[in-house]
């Protein structure tokens, strides 16, 4: 089974997130869509948390994926 996943990078490694993209999204549109959702949260709630972003993503069919971050390659 081929899954579409997206890494949400962060400057602090422990804040990096991985989400599963709903099947009905085209690869070329999902980056802009997720960026827009994050911007909406930032605008509406300057003290936002990951849980605020996740709630909005989950309402639209995205799913957080647990993962282990491996060692740096550089």
């Amino acid at each position: 089974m081929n899954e579409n996943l997206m890494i949400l990078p962060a400057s602090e490694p422990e804040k990096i997130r991985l989400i599963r993209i709903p099947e009905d999204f085209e690869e070329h549109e999902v980056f802009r869509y997720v960026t827009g959702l994050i911007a909406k949260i930032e605008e509406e709630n300057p003290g936002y948390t990951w849980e605020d972003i996740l709630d909005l993503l989950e309402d639209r069919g995205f799913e957080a994926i647990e993962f282990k971050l491996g060692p740096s390659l550089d």
Side-chain angles (χ1 to χ4, degrees), residues 25-74:
F25 275 90
E26 297 282 335
E27 184 177 335
H28 66 277
E29 69 183 9
V30 72
F31 182 89
R32 186 178 322 171
Y33 187 80
V34 171
T35 300
L37 291 178
I38 293 170
K40 178 179 179 175
I41 289 290
E42 290 173 335
E43 197 172 289
E44 292 176 359
N45 179 8
Y48 70 94
T49 65
W50 162 242
E51 286 73 26
D52 297 324
I53 294 171
L54 181 58
D55 287 344
L56 193 57
L57 289 169
E58 287 179 336
D59 287 347
R60 286 151 177 86
F62 292 83
E63 180 184 350
I65 305 292
E66 292 293 321
F67 69 97
K68 300 290 182 208
L69 189 60
S72 175
L73 295 174
D74 56 3

Side-chain angles (χ1 to χ4, degrees), residues 4-36:
N4 285 330
L5 304 173
M6 175 183 274
I7 295 172
L8 302 177
S11 57
E12 299 173 41
E14 64 275 2
K15 292 185 178 180
I16 295 171
R17 302 291 188 243
L18 179 65
I19 57 173
R20 179 178 289 119
I21 301 167
E23 291 181 12
D24 58 335
F25 275 90
E26 297 282 335
E27 184 177 335
H28 66 277
E29 69 183 9
V30 72
F31 182 89
R32 186 178 322 171
Y33 187 80
V34 171
T35 300

